Amino acid sequence: MNTIMFAAYFAAALGLASAHLCLIGPHQRGTMTGLNKKGSDDCILLKGPCGGRPSSTPLAILMSGKNTTVTFQKNLDHWVKASPGYFAVAIMQESKQRIMDYKEIARVPDMGEPSLTLYSVTGMVPSRISGTAVLQVTYVTNNPDAPPVFYQCADVAIN
């Protein structure tokens, strides 16, 4: 394999192994180290519903039946013109890692914006959910050369 082909292969493999979705507000589980760098190691979560990160004490309070704003970052672009993906924001309650109630509150199409683009969306917190809950953002890539879904979660309290 010549040097140019090897470099191209390595760059492609590195791109697939890098981070792709960061949840900024409310604060994602874990840290936000390297958030403004494409491929941040703290933003790659491929296992649903929350990338295997354990729950923590809720850092945000949402109001039941009211609108809330969620801010997230496309940390690394996976847009494909032939089959564009999307970002989905949902609120769910878990019990022993089993999802009890799941409600998508916003969806944003991936229109090919560059890596590190910030999105702020507003959605209504379902009135049937209260107490401790999880706000989840997913990046559904619809890209055959990338992982199908990236996950980020934030622990929230709903009043």
Side-chain angles (χ1 to χ4, degrees), residues 18 20-21 29 43-54 92 94 96-97 99 134 136-139 147-153:
S18 297
H20 310 279
L21 174 67
R29 289 179 177 177
C43 298
I44 184 168
L45 301 177
L46 300 173
K47 179 183 173 188
C50 294
R53 286 190 172 158
M92 59 189 180
E94 293 180 294
K96 297 179 184 173
Q97 299 300 345
I99 298 171
V134 177
Q136 177 192 63
V137 179
T138 54
Y139 178 12
V149 183
F150 295 91
Y151 300 87
Q152 281 295 345
C153 289

Side-chain angles (χ1 to χ4, degrees), residues 22 27-28 30-37 39-43 75:
C22 306
H27 189 294
Q28 68 189 25
T31 71
M32 291 201 231
T33 304
L35 183 71
N36 292 320
K37 175 186 157 200
S40 170
D41 289 337
D42 211 28
C43 298
N75 189 254

Side-chain angles (χ1 to χ4, degrees), residues 2-143:
N2 70 36
T3 305
I4 294 172
M5 285 178 56
F6 177 77
Y9 177 78
F10 181 76
L14 183 62
L16 290 176
S18 297
H20 310 279
L21 174 67
C22 306
L23 178 55
I24 297 167
H27 189 294
Q28 68 189 25
R29 289 179 177 177
T31 71
M32 291 201 231
T33 304
L35 183 71
N36 292 320
K37 175 186 157 200
K38 292 179 191 176
S40 170
D41 289 337
D42 211 28
C43 298
I44 184 168
L45 301 177
L46 300 173
K47 179 183 173 188
C50 294
R53 286 190 172 158
S55 61
S56 62
T57 302
L59 297 176
I61 298 172
L62 309 180
M63 301 305 292
S64 179
K66 303 288 184 184
N67 283 332
T68 191
T69 300
V70 178
T71 303
F72 56 93
Q73 178 194 63
K74 177 199 265 188
N75 189 254
L76 192 61
D77 180 31
H78 285 294
W79 183 75
V80 174
K81 184 177 182 177
S83 60
Y86 61 90
F87 301 89
V89 178
I91 294 179
M92 59 189 180
Q93 289 189 300
E94 293 180 294
S95 175
K96 297 179 184 173
Q97 299 300 345
R98 187 173 143 247
I99 298 171
M100 302 300 290
D101 197 359
Y102 177 94
K103 173 68 175 160
E104 186 174 302
I105 63 169
R107 185 176 281 206
V108 178
D110 183 3
M111 308 274 291
E113 297 87 354
S115 298
L116 305 180
T117 295
L118 292 176
Y119 302 84
S120 283
V121 298
T122 301
M124 182 169 293
V125 177
S127 58
R128 70 178 183 269
I129 297 178
S130 63
T132 303
V134 177
L135 186 138
Q136 177 192 63
V137 179
T138 54
Y139 178 12
V140 179
T141 66
N142 287 338
N143 181 338

